[in-house]
Amino acid sequence: MEASEVQQILERAGAVRHGHFELSSGRHSATYVQCALVLQYPDLAERLGGALGEKFRGMDVECVVSPALGGILVGHEVGRKLGVRTIFVERDSSGQMALRRGFELRRGERAVVVEDVWTTGGSTRETIGIVEQAGGRVVGAGALIDRSAGKLDWDVPAKALIEISIPSYEAFECPLCRRGEPITKPGSHFARLSA
Ligand code: ZN
């Protein structure tokens, strides 16, 4: 799937928002991509996740692992495309990401870690660490959208459907804060506000 087609799908679904946002990484930005707004349509989720899964074909992937919550639907569709099981990591009571619900990896099991959006890639990195700790072998990482425009460093082959360059700022250097524009913290809240 061409990046232009991905962009068209995101915009048609209203997943690209303009304003003043605090991203989950803590950085501020004038543009926010709310993947949940495109993934609410199962056919679009299947097309996007399938296109991402296609990039890992031929890598003998045995398992897909995603960080909850945003990564789960993407992981599900990547797993469907590759015909392999799909599990997720989530925060435990101490706030640490962990494999729960009886999810396990076999020693040496070949896994890809996928999620919806990379800004700093922190959730994917954390998930990679958990998979390795559990004995799995991470053979690739993927996201629907790479907001870093390909600038992130990965120790494994990394694939994104679209690389976009949206400036983001630390709060202290944010021009939108300086202009006094009210800030929105998206996430689960955001979807409810726009519903
Ligand atoms: Zn700001």
Side-chain angles (χ1 to χ4, degrees):
M1 188 183 285
E2 297 290 330
S4 58
E5 193 181 344
V6 176
Q7 191 167 348
Q8 216 173 44
I9 290 173
L10 292 171
E11 283 180 3
R12 231 184 305 143
V16 182
R17 295 294 167 118
H18 302 280
H20 179 196
F21 303 104
E22 183 179 335
L23 308 174
S24 57
S25 62
R27 294 176 69 85
H28 292 195
S29 174
T31 308
Y32 182 69
V33 183
Q34 176 49 280
C35 268
L37 292 176
V38 68
L39 299 176
Q40 70 182 313
Y41 303 107
D43 58 328
L44 297 181
E46 185 174 14
R47 277 178 68 192
L48 293 175
L52 183 60
E54 195 59 50
K55 294 183 181 288
F56 297 107
R57 206 176 265 296
M59 292 172 69
D60 293 324
V61 175
E62 297 173 289
C63 183
V64 177
V65 189
S66 292
L69 197 75
I72 292 179
L73 289 173
V74 176
H76 186 76
E77 295 302 333
V78 170
R80 186 204 303 276
K81 185 71 179 184
L82 295 173
V84 299
R85 75 196 178 94
T86 306
I87 61 177
F88 56 88
V89 302
E90 61 195 307
R91 305 228 170 262
D92 63 17
S93 53
S94 67
Q96 293 295 306
M97 285 293 227
L99 279 170
R100 304 177 71 187
R101 302 171 196 260
F103 288 148
E104 289 177 341
L105 286 140
R106 282 195 333 275
R107 183 144 297 282
E109 187 167 358
R110 296 171 65 84
V112 289
V113 173
V114 302
E115 65 169 321
D116 49 358
V117 183
W118 285 335
T119 301
T120 63
S123 303
T124 288
R125 264 180 242 287
E126 213 175 333
T127 307
I128 288 173
I130 292 163
V131 170
E132 287 172 345
Q133 214 169 22
R137 182 173 156 211
V138 178
V139 296
L144 298 182
I145 300 166
D146 178 0
R147 284 187 57 133
S148 82
K151 290 203 186 73
L152 299 174
D153 271 327
W154 298 102
D155 296 331
V156 295
K159 324 256 184 197
L161 281 192
I162 184 170
E163 292 178 352
I164 44 181
S165 175
I166 303 174
S168 67
Y169 316 92
E170 292 297 341
F172 71 86
E173 55 168 19
C174 173
L176 300 155
C177 281
R178 217 169 290 149
R179 288 206 298 268
E181 297 195 15
I183 191 162
T184 311
K185 202 170 181 173
S188 52
H189 212 63
F190 186 82
R192 235 177 291 131
L193 285 175
S194 60

